[in-house]
Amino acid sequence: MPCKFCSKPYSSAGSTLDVVKQIKSIVDHFGPQLSTEERSLLSIAYKNITNTLRNSWRIVDTLHKVQSTRKGPVHLIQRQRQRIETELIGVCKDIIRLLDRELLPAASEGEETVFYSKLKGDYCRYLAELGQKRERDRYAELSLKAYRSAYKHALATLHPLHPTRLGLALNFSVFYHDIKQSPERACHLAKSAFDDAVLSVNASDPGMDQTLRDSMAILQLLKDDIILWSGEMKD
């Protein structure tokens, strides 16, 4: 699909930052009603940026913990970890501002609202992973509120096999496991979404074939997490 702003096809050669700037330009010039492809590009661009930073942060944080046990100099590692944290926090807050000010207020009922609310829950969750206690608690609450709103809307408007509904269930259950430290609630939510999707397969119409194929990978991830978290509860 051509870009509204430049009237040319999107190019995969551009950097993720270029994609973010281009989507923001579309919002500024044409309004916040993005196409499905534009929403996907925005999500992938921010995900690529934050995944790189989160992986780097985990590596540096592990090095910091190892070095601390050896009572060696850690100031350089601390400085690098702080630099990554600052950049990651800035990116997360940037997309949350875009969602709150532009995209969510203009979102249509159904998949679009669920998609944006899920994104807000995701990036508030990332901030909750990083912050000190007060900030961590604040962003955990914002993440929970966004996920709950998205899930309530998804149950009312989206088919149980819809990839956006399943992706939301996957990330919401991860929130309960990682942030709330509750494998029981995480497993319950994941299993409920998985069972609803499986039960709806026979009732789906022929037009759901493509959706079913798109959803299979998420169903497998849900199944893997259910097995993992069930094992944790037994332990």
Side-chain angles (χ1 to χ4, degrees):
M1 178 179 176
C3 165
K4 294 173 185 171
F5 188 63
C6 59
S7 299
K8 295 179 181 179
Y10 289 109
S11 171
S12 60
S15 70
T16 51
L17 288 175
D18 290 336
V19 173
V20 169
K21 290 178 181 178
Q22 190 175 28
I23 297 297
K24 286 183 176 179
S25 294
I26 291 172
V27 172
D28 290 340
H29 288 80
F30 297 96
Q33 288 287 351
L34 299 179
S35 68
T36 301
E37 183 183 16
E38 289 161 350
R39 293 201 303 269
S40 179
L41 284 168
L42 183 70
S43 174
I44 292 170
Y46 273 104
K47 183 177 181 180
N48 287 342
I49 297 169
T50 53
N51 277 359
T52 299
L53 291 170
R54 291 175 77 211
N55 290 336
S56 298
W57 185 88
R58 291 188 187 105
I59 293 171
V60 174
D61 187 58
T62 300
L63 288 173
H64 179 264
K65 291 175 181 176
V66 171
Q67 193 66 26
S68 297
T69 61
R70 297 174 179 172
K71 298 182 179 180
V74 295
H75 62 281
L76 292 178
I77 299 176
Q78 287 176 329
R79 187 183 305 170
Q80 179 68 359
R81 185 177 68 172
Q82 184 59 50
R83 184 194 67 79
I84 297 170
E85 271 186 28
T86 300
E87 187 174 353
L88 179 54
I89 289 170
V91 173
C92 291
K93 288 184 176 180
D94 182 61
I95 188 172
I96 291 170
R97 281 194 298 269
L98 181 62
L99 289 164
D100 282 341
R101 296 176 183 177
E102 303 283 354
L103 302 179
L104 272 168
S108 59
E109 291 291 311
E111 195 270 341
E112 190 175 1
T113 293
V114 176
F115 183 88
Y116 288 143
S117 297
K118 170 189 169 295
L119 277 186
K120 183 176 179 179
D122 291 342
Y123 287 94
C124 287
R125 171 163 59 90
Y126 299 159
L127 289 172
E129 292 172 350
L130 293 171
Q132 300 300 317
K133 179 168 174 51
R134 181 178 297 179
E135 285 287 283
R136 184 171 65 246
D137 291 346
R138 183 168 77 90
Y139 282 112
E141 187 60 32
L142 287 173
S143 180
L144 178 61
K145 184 178 179 180
Y147 279 138
R148 279 179 172 170
S149 175
Y151 203 65
K152 180 180 179 181
H153 201 75
L155 291 177
T157 62
L158 299 182
H159 191 279
L161 277 169
H162 197 291
T164 300
R165 175 168 164 172
L166 289 175
L168 167 63
L170 177 66
N171 289 15
F172 196 3
S173 61
V174 169
F175 167 86
Y176 275 124
H177 181 269
D178 292 356
I179 304 300
K180 291 298 187 180
Q181 303 294 308
S182 177
E184 295 86 356
R185 297 182 75 174
C187 196
H188 174 77
L189 194 155
K191 189 174 186 305
S192 176
F194 184 91
D195 289 346
D196 287 346
V198 171
L199 288 173
S200 70
V201 171
N202 291 334
S204 63
D205 57 62
M208 291 291 292
D209 289 347
Q210 181 59 46
T211 298
L212 182 59
R213 287 193 292 270
D214 293 342
S215 300
M216 289 307 297
I218 305 176
L219 285 171
Q220 184 59 53
L221 291 173
L222 282 169
K223 182 179 179 181
D224 292 343
D225 283 345
I226 291 167
I227 293 171
L228 177 64
W229 297 335
S230 297
E232 289 181 11
M233 288 188 288
K234 289 179 181 178
D235 293 340

